[in-house]
Amino acid sequence: MSFRVLTAEFSHETNTFSVRKTGYDAFTVEGVLFGDDAIRARGEANTEIAGFLDIGRKHGWAIEHVLSTGAEPAGPVTRDAFDRIGGAIVKAAAERKGELDGILLGLHGAMVTDFSPDGEGELLERLRAVVGPDLPIAVTLDPHANVTAKMCELGDILISFKTYPHIDMREIAHHAGELLQKTMAGEIRPKTLLARRPMLEEANAGRTDIGPMVEWIARARAYEETAGALAVSINGAFPNADIPEVGPTVLVTYDGDAARHQAFAESIADEIWDNRFNVLNTFYTVMQAAEIAHDYRGDRPLIIADYADNPGAGGYGDATALLGAMLEVGIGDACFGPIVDPETANQLHRASVGDTVQLKLGGKTDPRFGGDPLEVTGKLLVISDGKLIGDGEQLGGLEFSFGPTAVVQIDGIAVLVVTEPSQMRDLQQFRAFGIDPARHRVVGLKSMQHFRAAFEPIAGKVIVCDSGALCTMDYSRMPYRNVARPIFPLDRDMTL
């Protein structure tokens, strides 16, 4: 029997402390791609829709793909953007009511709108209102999801990626698709449960390359092989969301009696709580990081990741503290990027390659987080439209754009200045603009963890710093008002 399945991708990780709201235009930067346009752009890459299509071909589904879109993390998604994008998905479901056998969605799990703390729950609620309670809905999630009770109630199958850096999007889409196939065929009747602990996030933000998450993921995979256990998801959460249901969760999608599966989820959640002080990263100050870089003599580059100014978590990308420290100590043979500064990018596009330019660089959005603008003199090396095609595990084969972009040499550092915010997670984000990070002694970049997939293989050493930008680990600087209290680490001495 051939099933008819509606698919869509709609992703946003919302930093509620950002002053930049996420309107419809923010989604158009990477593209709001409908139907076949989305499949052409994303259908052969490491994406959820590629995985959905793989399973559809395997089982002979008739797939109706509505759209694919995502915006760079920033402030709450506006009602207009949500209604236009989410509304298109709901409209498509309503128009095909009675014809669909299932719905398969690639979401994030940490979307907040300007009218709801639970964007994914809102979307699922609107879908249920038109398709009813019985149509199977499967959802893939990012492991930085803040999973809510509503999401588990309204989605039958919820499965998160098991890697951070995220490199298993297509694989997890396969898993979700296979479970949806079994559900539509009447072989299983899945539900999803969750366990939660009162924390803003897992101690290491859910990283899966080292630390206790390695064992927890292995146990999750083993548990998935037991009777009735269909999928286990361990979500490190997204802490920069001031919402009631923030925090790490363990999900089990199951068939049959819930008791054993709830006990398993609670056991992993207990270990997440017990490991709350087990932070693996050393977070250097920017000056400490610069001094380490000054003295570094390795054969391969030193990578300095500015954890706090990660655009991939809603950081503005224009923090100057790390670059300023590197310039202050006189680091040479270095590259740095990005500095997200549309004003300066526009200024550089009005100049000519080879010009000496006076710049007021970065620090324009909110200098309280990451430093004031740097007044510097540099030589313009490159101007570009900012477009590239990635070749790494995350962006491989995907079109990407920084918008109007330039490279300027400031003392011994080649600085990438861009218009659109994005963290560094593919070597082409430097190489497309004439910077080969492997040929520099020091590489400064904006990212928390995703950079490791592309940059660790070329690195002699990796260090992480907290520049005091919007995603600082010092949560006491953030005006949390809506999270349930007590919660760790805001209430550091709390007990369960």
Side-chain angles (χ1 to χ4, degrees), residues 392-409:
E393 290 184 280
Q394 295 182 62
L395 291 182
L398 294 173
E399 295 181 359
F400 173 91
S401 179
F402 275 125
T405 293
V407 178
V408 61
Q409 186 76 27

Side-chain angles (χ1 to χ4, degrees), residues 82 90 105 107 115-116 118-133 137 150-151 153-155:
F82 187 88
V90 174
L105 303 173
L107 307 179
F115 61 92
S116 170
D118 180 8
E120 287 81 5
E122 175 73 19
L123 177 61
L124 290 171
E125 188 170 58
R126 294 186 185 190
L127 281 170
R128 284 294 182 204
V130 299
V131 303
I137 298 179
K150 179 186 284 189
M151 291 164 61
E153 175 188 350
L154 299 176

